[in-house]
Every structure is written in structure tokens, then in C-alpha cells.
Amino acid sequence: LLLWVNTAFAIHDRQTGERLTGPIPGNALWAGFGGPCESANEGDPLVVYDDFAGRWVLSQMAISAQRQCVAVSVSSNPFGAYARYEFAFPRRNDFAKLAVWTDGGDDGAYLMSVHEFDGNSFAGSSLVALERRAMLSGQPARMLRSALFP
């Protein structure tokens, strides 16, 4: 069981609740990746287990750089390697929520809803689809963003 609160995560034994490792800074997932995902640890974490693929999907914002950092495990082992991604937003992204959409196979998307801000002013929300198939194979992935502004 992988739990992430604010800027650190830990892995626990699902049956006993015993902490196996952690707390680990959230941005440690992006060590060696470069850019704001590696240097920023700004929290607002998301953890979803993709039951269809048997993968962990982890995300946090790099809000100061208008980025969303996403890591997808290469297996069901939360201690293993992760494919890492950085997605840019035209406005400051915050309060993201993450879900898995699939046809039961590798097709589908990782879906996110995101609040966007101009400075400190709420500009509206957006719906984002991330290329799940590419991310499951560790390939470059695109983001499709649809702005739902008021």
C-alpha cells in the first residue's frame, strides 16, 4: 500500500499496516529526471492503482512551473522502477484529481481534472487525458487538455 501525504510518501504492508519504507520526499521519484519535477516538491499528491494494468500511478504538481509530474510504475511492485513524465499547463495548475479510464485492456487514458489560476484568481477548470498506452510502455506520452472555463 502506497500512501502519499503532502510532500512525502511511504509504502506499507497492506495486511499488517507495517511501514516498509519512508517517508520519502515526493520528488525523489523524479531524481535524475531534471527540471521542476526533480527540483520542486510542492505536494498536492495523487496516488491511483490502475487495477487493469497492475500499475501504480503517482502525481504531484510543480505549481511554480505550471507542471504536473506523473510517474507510472513498470510493474505492480511499488518499490520498482517508474516511467516519469512532466506535463505543462498554460496557467497555474492546482487541485488535480486523477482517474483511470479503460476498455479493460491497454486502451484508455489517465484522466485528470485540474483547477487553473491566473495568479491567485481562479480562471476555471480543465479536463486532461494522458496517453495511458504509451505511459504503460514507458514511451513518450501526450496530454490532451480541454479547458472548461466559465
Side-chain angles (χ1 to χ4, degrees):
L1 178 61
L2 197 151
L3 299 171
W4 193 347
V5 177
N6 295 329
T7 59
F9 66 91
I11 299 173
H12 297 258
D13 182 287
R14 180 174 216 116
Q15 293 172 344
T16 67
E18 176 188 358
R19 185 171 54 201
L20 303 174
T21 189
I24 299 167
N27 62 330
L29 287 167
W30 288 272
F33 186 70
C37 289
E38 179 179 6
S39 61
N41 192 26
E42 297 175 329
D44 211 4
L46 306 166
V47 176
V48 173
Y49 188 74
D50 181 343
D51 286 308
F52 300 101
R55 306 289 186 86
W56 292 94
V57 184
L58 310 175
S59 181
Q60 79 168 347
M61 62 184 182
I63 196 167
S64 57
Q66 299 176 189
R67 301 289 192 268
Q68 191 71 31
C69 309
V70 180
V72 178
S73 65
V74 299
S75 73
S76 61
N77 180 0
F79 292 102
Y82 286 80
R84 302 167 301 176
Y85 301 89
E86 176 184 308
F87 298 100
F89 284 80
R91 293 175 180 80
R92 186 169 57 91
N93 54 302
D94 205 352
F95 305 110
K97 303 297 176 225
L98 179 64
V100 178
W101 174 80
T102 180
D103 64 355
D106 288 344
D107 286 333
Y110 293 122
L111 300 175
M112 294 178 67
S113 63
V114 179
H115 287 264
E116 295 187 27
F117 294 82
D118 286 321
N120 289 327
S121 298
F122 179 67
S125 299
S126 59
L127 178 62
V128 173
L130 307 175
E131 284 187 299
R132 182 172 173 267
R133 178 183 292 227
M135 296 171 85
L136 289 174
S137 62
Q139 299 299 310
R142 294 173 293 176
M143 172 179 86
L144 177 63
R145 177 182 156 273
S146 178
L148 306 171
F149 293 119

